[in-house]
Amino acid sequence: MHFKSNAYHKRNFGSIECIVGPMFCGKTTELLRRARLSKIAQLNVRIYKPSIDTRYSAENAVTHDNVQMSSQMVENAEDLQKRVEGEWGQVHVVAIDEVQFIPGKMVEVCAQLRDRGIRVIVAGLDMDFRREPFGEIGDLLAIADEVVKLKAVCKYCGENALFTKRLTEGKDVVQVGGAQDYTAVCEHCYLKT
Ligand code: ADP
Ligand code: MG
Ligand code: ZN
């Protein structure tokens, strides 16, 4: 068996891969790793993120340890769909970071993209800082081909961290922030601190 270089064999159906976990668990790292491998396989990859997330950069998807890849910002699910449809036939892989912050029918849009042969990779928080499911993320997990649930390391005790703890005041569920505002904690330290 040998690989033909430069040849893309269109798949008959796509897939949905979900990468979830608390903040700092490596979701964006894993998303970009998969995106990079797809690029090496000469597939056309588009990376999207919500316009609300301008923490490190407006143009790039960026990890907390500064790995970056070029991305586009989207206002909502419909906007994302239109952008993919705008270059239909040329996009093989759609990678979406911080999916929980994209308003609209993301579950439907991801399902449609899969039906049309796109490999969809999404990364996002599974729980908010109250430890409740983040928006419709659970529905996305339910329909996914693959679910990867990553763990961070607890800032206080070094155990596996499943939860994101908010360090600052504020009751809004959506409050985009970094290491000053949030930390990853285990259950024990979530309840204790
Ligand atoms: P996520 O997208 O899940 O927030 P990233 O992929 O952007 O995470 O970044 C993961 C990186 O963040 C780790 O490789 C590590 O260098 C750094 N990091 C900072 N704090 C923590 C923590 N508490 N647990 C694990 N990684 C952390
Ligand atoms: Mg991230
Ligand atoms: Zn702990």
Side-chain angles (χ1 to χ4, degrees):
M1 199 169 88
H2 65 97
F3 293 104
K4 285 186 214 157
S5 67
N6 247 333
Y8 172 64
H9 304 284
K10 194 177 175 307
R11 294 146 89 199
N12 294 323
F13 51 87
S15 57
I16 300 174
E17 295 151 51
C18 289
I19 304 156
V20 295
M23 276 184 73
F24 308 108
C25 71
K27 300 181 298 296
T28 305
T29 304
E30 179 61 17
L31 184 82
L32 298 187
R33 189 185 72 83
R34 292 181 184 211
R36 197 173 308 109
L37 290 183
S38 291
K39 278 196 166 174
I40 291 168
Q42 302 187 357
L43 301 177
N44 289 332
V45 182
R46 296 290 179 272
I47 303 174
Y48 301 98
K49 66 176 191 174
S51 49
I52 193 176
D53 177 20
T54 53
R55 286 174 300 175
Y56 295 116
S57 158
E59 291 84 30
N60 293 344
V62 187
T63 69
H64 295 296
D65 42 10
N66 206 29
V67 176
Q68 313 201 7
M69 280 178 82
S70 153
S71 69
Q72 300 176 40
M73 293 205 288
V74 293
E75 293 296 326
N76 51 44
E78 203 185 5
D79 182 21
L80 189 152
Q81 189 172 28
K82 278 193 187 136
R83 280 167 192 267
V84 179
E85 277 171 1
E87 21 179 23
W88 199 245
Q90 294 169 64
V91 181
H92 309 122
V93 180
V94 167
I96 308 164
D97 201 13
E98 301 285 3
V99 68
Q100 79 284 347
F101 288 149
I102 302 178
K105 299 184 171 166
M106 274 313 296
V107 181
E108 259 178 47
V109 168
C110 288
Q112 276 174 25
L113 292 176
R114 170 171 63 184
D115 285 348
R116 296 168 75 177
I118 303 264
R119 177 182 176 200
V120 182
I121 316 170
V122 304
L125 294 168
D126 46 4
M127 286 175 268
D128 62 28
F129 74 101
R130 303 165 306 180
R131 300 190 299 171
E132 284 173 23
F134 213 125
E136 289 170 13
I137 193 78
D139 291 354
L140 216 40
L141 300 184
I143 66 158
D145 294 64
E146 183 194 0
V147 175
V148 178
K149 185 147 171 158
L150 300 173
K151 294 177 188 76
V153 65
C154 176
K155 206 56 186 287
Y156 301 105
C157 75
E159 289 289 337
N160 283 334
L162 229 69
F163 306 113
T164 306
K165 192 175 175 78
R166 186 182 279 179
L167 303 169
T168 47
E169 292 298 315
K171 289 197 170 62
D172 293 343
V173 175
V174 175
Q175 200 170 297
V176 180
Q180 277 108 315
D181 309 288
Y182 295 98
T183 191
V185 290
C186 73
E187 181 168 27
H188 177 75
C189 295
Y190 183 94
L191 296 171
K192 195 187 67 177
T193 53

